[in-house]
Amino acid sequence: MRFALLFSRLSKFLLSTYLLSTTVAAQSPAVHHLPDPADQSIAISEARDPIRLTHGPMLGRPGATSVRVWARTSDPGAFEVRYGTSADSLDQISSKGTTSITHDNTGTIDLTELRPDTRYHYRVWVNDRPHGLPASFRTLPSAETTRNAEYNPEGLFNFQFQIGSCANQNPLHGNGHHAPVYEHLNRDWADRVHFHVMNGDWLYEEQRQYPAEAWRLVQGASSLPRIARIAPTIVGVWENYKLYLDRSESLAKWHRHVPSCFTFDDHELVNDIWGSAEHGKRHRRTVFRDIGTQAWFDYLGWANPIQHAQPIHFGKATMRRESDLLFDPDADFTRLAVDQMGSLHVHWGTPQAGVNDMRYDDDSGHKNSYVYDILEVIDAHTLRLHMPAKIDDSNISYSIGRRSYGKQRVGNCEFYYLDTRGDRQMHDVTERDKPGVSMLGIAQREWLLKSMRESDADFRFVISTVPFMIPHSGAGGFEADAANKEEAWTGFFDEREYLIKEWEKMGKRVFVMTGDLHNSFAIKVTDNVWEFCCGPHNSVNHVPANDESDRPATGKFKFGPRECDIRWSSYILPDLPRLERLYPYFCVVKVNNVFNMPQKLGETRYVAYPHPQVVFQYYDGRTGELAYAESVSTSR
């Protein structure tokens, strides 16, 4: 703790020194941790202390026989994990992992050949010494450990996971650094759940104006890595993640012990980011997508199953006024899977590009900063875009987005982790049912439906960061027309109804797990389709009368073409002052497939239920007490 304080003071001193000097002088997920070849020549000062662990470990990629361990070190270098089934005997050693300055000195290691449904103890080692706090995790069960020919031939098993969203640590916007939800989770659930799903808004924008040069000084690096030269505002997002890991001890402890999967919502990028795939759109927040997404992959996205390995492409290019060509002499576009990537963004280019402050929502960004569709790869260095440039520029910063969605199978359940921001077209609240407008993008939507049709899973969990049936409007908005604010699927009725109809055809239970709204609710949409919104973990609650179209606490509710049944919800009355609206919630989901009925007490013989069920349990984040539970079984 003393060293962390000294390091923090040193960082602040270097930052203030830099600011004074400037004033005077006027994936698959593994892919993103590979260092950029252009960064191989960066030297780290020899006058620095030995390499050490600064953040982590964190756990991700939960499995029956494997888990992924993340760490951040003070300098780029090697680390390893020592682990075992006894805290007193960490007798197994992982392969070496490496951290790279390309990714803010972060890196991952996969522990493999683990035993199913087993608790492992582990510790990170750097420089042949243990670093950080010891921790443990539990692997998922497997069919091989529960199968018996007579009563459970499919090898079904029970498991449970925790899910939530919205963990603002700013005391002006929630419960602050205290994070009571994570204290209850650590006390009551860390040893009981198999994994955690953080469904967006783990991060809220702080430190976003941290100068790239100050970051370089703190790292002791001879030069900036390539990504920070192209997109210098990424260092502010990196600092944002480190701040959140430093500040909330209970959150960091939770991630040391419980493997997680993460989605990103707007605050991981920048608040109210809309229209990232709306070709021709110009806005500071919109074109921050790839910068925020890359930092998310460095700090959280490594934990997820990802469908497409093609990473974000960052570059510097030339554009000419009234020409639709983009030329990058250092790129080889013929080697990019452009048809498996997102739109091209020319970056805004101001130091405030990733700041959540409406004062900066002006027109001060680069004049060629728009969302572009790539029409054609002309040659290795040249792309044809859907619209011409506004001005001549031989040094623009740009990026081509990646697809950040994926799926995971656990027993008879399939989990689909969606990206509701990266390929999102622009909504219009005056025409919410406009045909063809998409939140997911055609590629992601068709992948989702194809995967679900081909799956034989009994239960399908669709992880969407934004609400499905309840609007998230009001609470301001950054567009010229603030009344156009809408975060939820209620701005995309055409696509939402199409999904519901397709899911109904499948005849299986679909649970849309949502976040973003700072309230929890359990909603029956149809017999097969349910929505469970889970949160907030730490943020100040929204007021339904202002932000959720005045929906009831329970009962029938209709917004748009479809009525739904709100079975239960957290609910805040409008007479509460903002900082009295501090009612966090979390949800533990238990999948009950089998019961244990041995012929002799103390042994095991798992018997499959004819109709397995999923139990959604909502807990009060201040007290840890059960607030509501809903059970949904397979159809009779």
Side-chain angles (χ1 to χ4, degrees):
M1 183 66 70
R2 181 179 297 173
F3 185 84
L5 179 61
L6 290 172
F7 184 71
S8 175
R9 288 175 177 171
L10 175 61
S11 300
K12 291 178 180 177
F13 170 75
L14 290 171
L15 174 58
S16 63
T17 302
Y18 166 74
L19 292 175
L20 178 61
S21 69
T22 54
T23 302
V24 173
Q27 171 175 191
S28 95
V31 172
H32 80 284
H33 279 293
L34 296 176
D36 191 310
D39 298 335
Q40 296 300 307
S41 62
I42 295 176
I44 304 299
S45 171
E46 295 181 359
R48 291 170 66 80
D49 289 335
I51 183 175
R52 66 194 181 281
L53 183 76
T54 66
H55 297 86
M58 292 196 289
L59 299 166
R61 278 295 188 97
T65 60
S66 64
V67 73
R68 181 165 290 171
V69 183
W70 174 96
R72 184 187 184 274
T73 54
S74 57
D75 298 335
F79 71 102
E80 65 186 23
V81 175
R82 301 194 180 188
Y83 60 103
T85 55
S86 169
D88 299 325
S89 180
L90 305 182
D91 54 0
Q92 299 183 67
I93 303 176
S94 72
S95 60
K96 291 283 186 181
T98 58
T99 64
S100 72
I101 198 166
T102 301
H103 304 287
D104 196 25
N105 297 339
T106 65
T108 62
I109 289 174
D110 287 338
L111 306 185
T112 59
E113 299 183 4
L114 305 178
R115 297 207 305 256
D117 203 17
T118 301
R119 179 154 298 278
Y120 281 87
H121 300 265
Y122 76 101
R123 199 164 188 184
V124 170
W125 281 57
V126 183
N127 269 340
D128 294 322
R129 301 294 300 171
H131 280 238
L133 295 172
S136 66
F137 62 89
R138 180 182 175 187
T139 54
L140 283 165
S142 73
E144 286 66 31
T145 58
T146 61
R147 179 183 287 115
N148 64 74
E150 185 174 3
Y151 294 107
N152 187 22
E154 296 181 25
L156 296 178
F157 51 82
N158 299 337
F159 67 95
Q160 53 189 356
F161 64 95
Q162 190 273 325
I163 184 167
S165 62
C166 306
N168 199 334
Q169 293 184 28
N170 189 326
L172 298 178
H173 301 286
N175 288 280
H177 312 167
H178 178 52
V181 158
Y182 287 98
E183 293 180 353
H184 288 299
L185 287 174
N186 285 317
R187 185 192 70 190
D188 300 331
W189 294 101
D191 292 336
R192 298 169 63 188
V193 298
H194 291 89
F195 62 96
H196 160 61
V197 177
M198 184 62 191
N199 196 13
D201 293 341
W202 185 95
L203 193 74
Y204 283 70
E205 304 87 340
E206 298 182 58
Q207 305 277 45
R208 292 297 182 95
Q209 296 190 67
Y210 197 92
E213 179 62 11
W215 177 90
R216 184 191 68 80
L217 290 171
V218 172
Q219 309 313 313
S222 61
S223 61
L224 289 169
R226 179 175 178 270
I227 189 168
R229 296 194 300 272
I230 295 170
T233 48
I234 195 172
V235 305
V237 193
W238 287 338
E239 294 301 314
N240 197 170
Y241 279 105
K242 285 180 281 195
L243 175 68
Y244 268 46
L245 286 170
D246 285 336
R247 196 156 70 174
S248 178
E249 294 181 4
S250 56
L251 177 145
K253 180 180 179 181
W254 174 253
H255 288 305
R256 285 197 303 272
H257 287 275
V258 181
S260 298
C261 290
F262 301 88
T263 55
F264 61 80
D265 198 40
D266 55 341
H267 290 286
E268 281 84 2
L269 310 183
V270 63
N271 183 40
D272 289 353
I273 181 172
W274 303 331
S276 293
E278 185 70 28
H279 303 144
K281 182 172 175 57
R282 172 176 172 81
H283 200 281
R284 171 180 72 92
R285 300 178 188 240
T286 300
V287 294
F288 198 74
R289 176 196 65 190
D290 296 336
I291 300 170
T293 302
Q294 182 56 56
W296 176 80
F297 268 101
D298 295 332
Y299 275 84
L300 300 179
W302 53 269
N304 282 26
I306 299 294
Q307 184 71 17
H308 296 281
Q310 177 67 61
I312 300 168
H313 172 81
F314 289 91
K316 289 275 193 177
T318 294
M319 298 180 77
R320 297 300 179 200
R321 182 174 180 269
E322 297 185 356
S323 169
D324 60 1
L325 301 181
L326 178 145
F327 176 77
D328 181 351
D330 297 320
D332 186 350
F333 295 123
T334 63
R335 296 175 63 89
L336 290 182
V338 174
D339 61 333
Q340 297 179 19
M341 301 179 72
S343 51
L344 183 146
H345 289 182
V346 171
H347 300 162
W348 199 247
T350 66
Q352 300 80 24
V355 176
N356 181 23
D357 191 328
M358 291 174 64
R359 291 179 300 166
Y360 303 121
D361 292 330
D362 53 26
D363 198 43
S364 63
H366 194 288
K367 297 307 177 185
N368 287 331
S369 182
Y370 288 87
V371 177
Y372 294 89
D373 184 22
I374 300 173
L375 298 184
E376 183 183 3
V377 176
I378 301 293
D379 56 39
H381 307 306
T382 311
L383 297 175
R384 185 180 304 282
L385 307 178
H386 86 286
M387 60 180 271
K390 302 297 182 183
I391 65 170
D392 290 344
D393 197 326
S394 58
N395 193 38
I396 64 151
S397 293
Y398 75 96
S399 56
I400 305 174
R402 69 169 299 161
R403 294 180 180 166
S404 304
Y405 50 85
K407 64 178 180 177
Q408 177 186 22
R409 181 69 177 251
V410 181
N412 62 336
C413 300
E414 201 92 55
F415 292 80
Y416 303 91
Y417 297 94
L418 301 185
D419 172 5
T420 64
R421 297 290 177 174
D423 280 324
R424 181 177 178 140
Q425 293 177 317
M426 192 61 201
H427 63 271
D428 182 352
V429 298
T430 67
E431 196 176 359
R432 293 174 181 268
D433 58 351
K434 184 177 180 180
V437 179
S438 177
M439 177 183 287
L440 300 180
I442 294 174
Q444 181 178 193
R445 186 181 68 214
E446 294 310 307
W447 163 83
L448 173 65
L449 291 175
K450 181 176 185 292
S451 298
M452 294 179 76
R453 292 184 189 112
E454 293 175 349
S455 174
D456 63 352
D458 291 320
F459 303 111
R460 293 97 185 278
F461 294 87
V462 177
I463 316 296
S464 162
T465 59
V466 294
F468 201 59
M469 301 303 295
I470 305 294
H472 182 186
S473 53
F478 68 82
E479 296 286 353
D481 177 11
N484 195 46
K485 178 179 172 71
E486 180 58 270
E487 305 299 314
W489 285 91
T490 46
F492 301 83
F493 283 144
D494 181 60
E495 186 169 56
R496 188 191 72 175
E497 292 302 302
Y498 174 65
L499 289 174
I500 293 173
K501 291 173 183 176
E502 292 301 308
W503 291 338
E504 278 294 301
K505 294 176 185 177
M506 298 174 192
K508 299 284 187 172
R509 301 303 195 216
V510 176
F511 306 124
V512 188
M513 310 299 295
T514 62
D516 189 54
L517 272 177
H518 298 175
N519 278 307
S520 288
F521 41 82
I523 295 178
K524 184 177 182 180
V525 182
T526 70
D527 286 342
N528 285 323
V529 181
W530 294 69
E531 177 183 3
F532 294 95
C533 189
C534 307
H537 267 182
N538 209 49
S539 304
V540 66
N541 299 86
H542 286 133
V543 178
N546 300 333
D547 306 325
E548 303 170 22
S549 293
D550 203 22
R551 53 94 177 168
T554 60
K556 297 298 179 65
F557 176 71
K558 186 176 183 181
F559 188 89
R562 183 179 294 272
E563 186 178 68
C564 63
D565 181 5
I566 303 174
R567 313 274 281 202
W568 169 87
S569 74
S570 61
Y571 197 87
I572 305 297
L573 293 174
D575 61 351
L576 270 66
R578 179 176 178 82
L579 291 184
E580 295 299 323
R581 306 199 311 257
L582 301 177
Y583 295 93
Y585 282 86
F586 63 92
C587 183
V588 175
V589 182
K590 185 171 185 178
V591 180
N592 280 332
N593 285 312
V594 298
F595 59 94
N596 188 23
M597 186 56 60
Q599 291 180 311
K600 184 177 180 180
L601 286 174
E603 297 181 352
T604 57
R605 182 177 58 171
Y606 292 106
V607 181
Y609 284 113
H611 300 284
Q613 66 271 178
V614 180
V615 184
F616 300 84
Q617 305 161 92
Y618 286 93
Y619 291 86
D620 185 315
R622 301 190 69 84
T623 66
E625 295 295 321
L626 180 68
Y628 180 77
E630 181 87 45
S631 176
V632 183
S633 68
T634 56
S635 59
R636 280 358 191 211

